[in-house]
Amino acid sequence: VQLQASGGGLVQAGGSLRVSCAASGGTFSRYGTAWFRQAPGKEREFVAAIRYNSHTYYATSVEGRFTISRDNAKNAVYLQMNNLKSEDTAVYYCAASPTGPILSAVRDPQSYHYWGQGTLVTVSS
């Protein structure tokens, strides 16, 4: 499976942006997918996940502002980001797992086998 992230850019604080991840290969509808992000000088952190059954999970820092969704017909997963803050500035990576992941591991980057190249989101204050 290959993942291609896109849609990043520069946005003002309080604004919105949607990043997309296109998948090729594999039976995407059965995959668990997620978004992670990595800010300069920081470790990669979990943002949101959507399992094969469309159940969603969010990091506390983005809950209520971000929405993850998927379109199995288009082999794509999206992250709609609203009310962006300067601390949301990071490279955003999409990831996919053909084996779930299990509920206790949705936030663990090691649960995901495939990764996209990342797309940069910069929020100016």
Side-chain angles (χ1 to χ4, degrees), residues 2-21:
Q2 291 185 332
L3 303 176
Q4 180 74 37
S6 62
L10 175 65
V11 62
Q12 288 187 335
S16 299
L17 199 64
R18 188 179 82 158
V19 292
S20 303
C21 180

Side-chain angles (χ1 to χ4, degrees), residues 28-77:
F28 185 71
S29 61
R30 299 179 183 176
Y31 284 37
T33 57
W35 288 95
F36 290 79
R37 67 187 181 187
Q38 188 166 18
K42 295 187 177 181
E43 294 186 353
R44 189 170 298 189
E45 65 174 358
F46 170 79
V47 177
I50 183 166
R51 297 182 75 223
Y52 68 96
N53 55 6
S54 295
H55 289 182
T56 58
Y57 307 87
Y58 296 93
T60 303
S61 59
V62 307
E63 192 150 19
R65 301 188 297 122
F66 291 11
T67 303
I68 188 171
S69 61
R70 64 190 298 162
D71 185 336
N72 290 332
K74 296 182 178 180
N75 283 354
V77 61

Side-chain angles (χ1 to χ4, degrees), residues 36 44 95-97 99 101 105-115:
F36 290 79
R44 189 170 298 189
S97 169
T99 58
V106 291
R107 294 171 174 81
D108 185 351
Q110 295 187 4
S111 299
Y112 297 89
H113 297 67
Y114 307 105
W115 291 82

